[in-house]
Each structure stands twice: as structure tokens, then as C-alpha cells.
Amino acid sequence: MANPSRPRTAALITTAALLSAVLAGCGGSTGDGDLTAQKLDWKDCPAPSEAEGGGSAPSPLPHGGDWQCATMKAPLDWSRPKGDTIDIALIRARASGPADKRIGSLVFNFGGPGGSGVTTLPAFAGDYSNLRTRYDLVSFDPRGVGRSAPVECESNSQLDVYFQQDAVPDDKAERDQFLQRTKRFNAACERNSKKVLPHVRTTDAARDMDLMRQVLGDDKLHYFGISYGTELGGVYAHLFPKHVGRAVLDAVVDPTQTPEQGALGQTKGFQLALDNFAKDCTSKTTECPIGDTEQDVKDRIAKLLADLEKKPIPGIFPRQLTETAAINGIAQSLYSKDFWEYLTEGLEQAYDGDGKILMLLSDSLNGRSENGDYSNLLAANTAISCSDAKPRYTTDDVQRKLPEFRAASPLFGPFMAWGMLSCTDWAVPGAADHPDVSAPGSAPILVVGNTGDPATPYEGAKKMADALGKGVAVELTYKGQGHGSYDSKNKCVQRAVDGYLLDGKVPKSGAVCS
């Protein structure tokens, strides 16, 4: 979830950067060339661009070897496949096992929309080392993201102002300011990225993946999609069911929901995660430093946010921790149980007037690096989400729905409800109410849902399985916490996923891991 106020989800794109902090544009015409025949020129990977999040070039692989990067040409407009092209940035780690055991490439999308796969795959490479024994691990920056014809909206200084705004307006003056700020951001996206904006839908990215499959030399697409990556995988299966190889969807988006329904579902999911955090803190033998009971923990957080709405506290100079930034920071920490200790420490400090840790968590969610540069996560997230989703909501819609959102979560509800206005002034019309993922004739797709997932609530896995169609989805439930299942390092989940991807062993549908 690039921003909780925007009703789409993301994986933990900036986990590695957060932990250390806390403790190509459009090309020319292709003529009559066949893009499926292009040869990729794999080279050592450069340092990530600012749009990808910055930082250093990826370190050597854990068990030897170097990361390789390349660019693939794809049509800017898939309805004109021989027209202008864009560059799609790719990264790979070659299979570590014997050549005669290699299956092919395993393509990853880690979520967003708007997350850079080129920077994320190296950050999580250790988690997938077993899969690398038989696959080249491959990821990419989807169109509009990172180095792949990135959507550009506002400058770093403008984004600092954007994320400091009051995203939970309480009166007409605050509502007008919120609407004006959102409209300015959307207008900047159109002004700076007019050529690419109509061509960043999930269906476009799915067609890029099928081109990628062919250019990589695979008869089938073997795929691992996480968070929004599950929606992308479902759309790919719908468009190219006969090309689906072994595919896993983890942290599953509900494909049947409108943006409003998705935002309400996330509101409930983050409230559940907050409840679980409070219960965990107060159930330990040592004293919980942020409250005596579960309700006390939540009441003190609510009071902190109310106080910040009136008077922000110092965050990271010269910025202050506002109510909005604090909500963002709390949301980021709920993506993983590993982050709960940072939330506890951040709240302790905030109660003492120091907002640094919550600000760092907020920055991580928003794609802001320590030097003040932003990735294009927010720009790409907005562009893809608004191009995909047809509904456009009004202030009256939000006002009418606010009681339901507040009932779902007093903390997150209003924030998520006002976020539904993100696409109201978007330049490109949305494609549909929700994506079509029906995939009759596809190979089995393993769908993994986590009962404690805040960003993609567990119920979405069943909805995705049903929408894929009878005989396609194989459901696996993980009774855990955090966003996603495989990266929880639960052995039961990893055995099931590895067994399917590496050996073709389809788990029994309905199996449960805890």
C-alpha cells in the first residue's frame, strides 16, 4: 500500500531501507520489427535511479554470482504494436543449480502498484534462494514505474508539502484545501507524463509480461505475484490462460471489489492488525510501555492523533510529525509483525514529544529516502490505480460513507474514506469497476491467504479463487500476521509453495498452515 489513503495495496517495498534507517522514458518507432525476437543485453546492474528509490547497486548474490540488468522494448500502446516503444527495466539472478535441472525464469511482481521490482528482488533475494536452484529469478519495473517510462508528477519539495497536508479534513476549509491539493497533484501528473498516462493499466503490464515470457525464451510464464502482483497475475491468466505455467499468488487482492469496497476492506484489515498489535503488547510477561490494556493502547493512540491534529511535534527537521504522517507511520508498521517493536518505540517517543521514528516509518511508506528524494511510487500508484478503476467519487460520496468507515476503524476509517477522492480529477478514464481474472483453461494457480493480513484481507483469497474459475485456483490458508505468507518464513507455507514451483506438486486445496 503506497499510501493508506489510496485504495490499492503494496508489498513491503522499502523494508530493507527502513530497517537501516530506523536502527527510461519513451523511445522511437519499432518500424516493422518483431519485438518477440529482440535479444536482451544483460549487464552489471547500475545503482537504482531516483524513481526506483536510489541507493547502491545490488550486492553480489548470497551464494555467489552477480545481478544482471537489461531493458526490453515494449509497445507504448498495445493497440499499435508497431508504433512507439518504451523500455521495460529487468533484473535477474541466474539459476544456481545444475543446468539440466533448470525449469526456466520465475517472474516476480512485489506489489504496489508502483513498486520497483528491480530494487525489491535483490532486497529479498535470500528469501527465495531455494527457488533459485531451478529458476532464473527475474523481476521488472512495470510500465510507469522506476526506469520503465516512469510517471512523473510533483517535485521532492512539493511532495513534502503533499504528505504534510491534513488528509482527514474536519470542516469545509480543510476539505477545500485537501481537494485543491489533490487536484494540483493530479494536474502535475498530466502535465509531466501526458504521453504515458493512458498506457499504464494492469492489462498493459500483463501484455508486457507475455512479451517478456517470449523474450526470456519460456513456453509458459512461471510467476510469483505478491499483493497487487496477485491482481496482475490474475489479469495475465485471464488474457493468456494457455500461457500460465506454475503460478503463486500471495497476499491476495480481492478482484471483485470496487475501490470503495477495497478501501473499506483495508480499513477493517488495518484495524484488525492494530487490535492484534495491542493484544500482543499487553499479553507479554513484561510491562507494555504504551498501555495497560488493549483498549488503553488504542485510546492512547487516538489521543496522540487528536493532539497532533491540533499541534504537530518535531519529526525529522525541518518537518513535523502531523496527524497524517503518524497514521502513515502506524500503517507501515502493521505490514509486518517484525515492525511492531518499531511501532512500540515510535509511540513511546511520540508520547514524549519526539516524532522521529513514526516519521521514518511514514517516509518508508511514501517512498522517501533519507536524503529527501522520493521514488515515483506515489505517482505510479495513482496513475495505475486511476487508469484501472472506473468509479470517480465525490465529496458527497465520502460524507455519506464516513459513518461506515469510522465504524470499521476510528483510526484508519476517515483517512481511507477521504482517500477515495484520489482519482476524482484524473485525466484518464478508468477501465472497469474491477479487473476480470477469469481464466478457464489455465494451469493450477496456488492462491495463498493470510488470516492476519492488514493490506489484503484474508477474504480476498477466496474471492480470487472463485473468480479465477473452477479447477484453476488451489487455496492455501496461513494463520499468521502481516502482509503476505511466504516471507513470514513459515515452514509449512514455504514447503507447499516450493513443492509446487520446484517439483510441480499441487497442494490439496483448502490446506491450512499455522
Side-chain angles (χ1 to χ4, degrees):
M1 186 161 99
N3 183 337
S5 68
R6 294 178 182 272
R8 296 293 282 272
T9 55
L12 290 172
I13 295 159
T14 53
T15 300
L18 172 68
L19 291 175
S20 63
V22 174
L23 300 166
C26 298
S29 173
T30 63
D32 294 323
D34 178 8
L35 291 176
T36 64
Q38 66 185 291
K39 302 296 182 184
L40 297 177
D41 183 16
W42 294 100
K43 297 179 179 179
D44 291 343
C45 293
S49 67
E50 181 180 322
E52 289 176 309
S56 303
S59 302
L61 288 154
H63 302 292
D66 294 314
W67 292 97
Q68 298 177 319
C69 287
T71 56
M72 179 187 77
K73 296 289 184 184
L76 169 65
D77 182 351
W78 270 102
S79 69
R80 298 177 59 248
K82 293 185 178 181
D84 288 351
T85 63
I86 56 174
D87 288 342
I88 304 296
L90 279 69
I91 189 169
R92 77 173 178 185
R94 300 300 298 270
S96 61
D100 61 345
K101 298 294 185 182
R102 180 182 176 276
I103 296 170
S105 297
L106 180 62
V107 176
F108 287 80
N109 180 281
F110 295 93
S116 166
V118 172
T119 58
T120 306
L121 182 58
F124 290 94
D127 295 338
Y128 304 104
S129 58
N130 198 36
L131 298 175
R132 189 183 159 221
T133 58
R134 300 196 66 191
Y135 289 100
D136 294 347
L137 304 186
V138 177
S139 194
F140 64 107
D141 290 351
R143 55 174 59 215
V145 177
R147 290 185 189 271
S148 300
V151 175
E152 298 176 357
C153 297
E154 293 192 321
S155 67
N156 292 325
S157 60
Q158 289 172 322
L159 287 172
D160 272 346
V161 174
Y162 180 93
F163 286 117
Q164 291 291 99
Q165 71 173 322
D166 187 348
V168 189
D170 300 312
D171 55 38
K172 185 179 185 304
E174 290 183 353
R175 288 196 297 273
D176 288 346
Q177 186 178 41
F178 175 78
L179 291 168
Q180 184 182 38
R181 191 74 195 84
T182 303
K183 189 171 185 176
R184 280 204 303 267
F185 176 86
N186 290 356
C189 299
E190 181 182 13
R191 183 170 60 251
N192 295 325
S193 302
K194 190 171 185 178
K195 186 173 182 179
V196 74
L197 284 191
H199 307 295
V200 295
R201 292 188 170 117
T202 298
T203 49
D204 296 315
R207 294 185 186 282
D208 293 341
M209 285 206 304
D210 200 58
L211 176 61
M212 193 182 307
R213 171 191 66 79
Q214 297 171 75
V215 172
L216 291 170
D218 291 330
D219 293 331
K220 304 282 187 179
L221 179 75
H222 306 297
Y223 180 74
F224 201 134
I226 303 161
S227 195
Y228 161 78
T230 66
E231 181 177 323
L232 176 58
V235 169
Y236 178 88
H238 170 69
L239 294 174
F240 307 102
K242 299 299 184 182
H243 296 173
V244 175
R246 299 173 188 176
V248 174
L249 307 182
D250 183 7
V252 188
V253 171
D254 183 343
T256 69
Q257 292 180 328
T258 63
E260 176 194 316
Q261 293 167 332
L264 184 60
Q266 279 195 309
T267 300
K268 295 175 181 177
F270 276 92
Q271 184 61 45
L272 173 62
L274 184 67
D275 293 344
N276 290 337
F277 161 75
K279 181 178 181 180
D280 178 78
C281 187
T282 56
S283 66
K284 294 176 179 177
T285 53
T286 55
E287 180 181 356
C288 177
I290 54 170
D292 298 326
T293 65
E294 294 176 46
Q295 191 58 49
D296 185 37
V297 170
K298 291 183 283 188
D299 288 345
R300 291 190 69 189
I301 293 174
K303 184 179 185 305
L304 171 67
L305 295 176
D307 290 344
L308 291 173
E309 202 275 335
K310 298 172 186 174
K311 185 179 180 181
I313 62 176
I316 299 174
F317 184 81
R319 294 176 300 146
Q320 293 187 309
L321 183 74
T322 63
E323 177 190 22
T324 298
I327 294 173
N328 270 319
I330 292 167
Q332 171 70 336
S333 66
L334 295 175
Y335 270 93
S336 171
K337 193 172 182 180
D338 292 341
F339 282 18
W340 287 4
E341 62 179 291
Y342 303 129
L343 177 55
T344 300
E345 187 176 354
L347 289 170
E348 279 190 277
Q349 289 192 5
Y351 296 148
D352 290 335
D354 181 354
K356 182 178 181 181
I357 289 179
L358 288 183
M359 181 68 85
L360 284 167
L361 287 159
S362 178
D363 285 349
S364 175
L365 188 74
N366 295 326
R368 188 186 195 272
S369 65
E370 291 180 85
N371 64 8
D373 292 336
Y374 284 88
S375 72
N376 87 316
L377 177 60
L378 175 65
N381 180 280
T382 307
I384 297 167
S385 299
C386 297
S387 296
D388 278 351
K390 182 182 291 184
R392 297 292 187 256
Y393 300 104
T394 66
T395 303
D396 288 344
D397 293 329
V398 174
Q399 298 276 32
R400 186 170 59 253
K401 285 293 181 178
L402 269 174
E404 187 176 1
F405 275 79
R406 283 199 186 98
S409 173
L411 192 160
F412 296 109
F415 192 52
M416 297 292 288
W418 285 106
M420 293 194 303
L421 298 179
S422 299
C423 298
T424 300
D425 297 302
W426 195 248
V428 178
D433 288 336
H434 53 79
D436 191 344
V437 299
S438 59
S442 169
I445 298 175
L446 182 57
V447 177
V448 189
N450 181 347
T451 58
D453 196 316
T456 49
Y458 171 67
E459 294 77 12
K462 173 64 174 172
K463 295 293 183 64
M464 175 66 81
D466 290 344
L468 287 169
K470 188 175 181 180
V472 175
V474 178
E475 293 182 74
L476 175 66
T477 293
Y478 170 50
K479 293 185 176 180
Q481 301 294 334
H483 187 40
S485 302
Y486 190 88
D487 282 338
S488 72
K489 299 180 175 58
N490 178 270
K491 296 300 183 185
C492 173
V493 172
Q494 292 186 336
R495 279 196 301 269
V497 171
D498 290 357
Y500 180 45
L501 290 177
L502 294 173
D503 302 316
K505 296 178 181 177
V506 181
K508 182 179 178 181
S509 191
V512 177
C513 293
S514 58

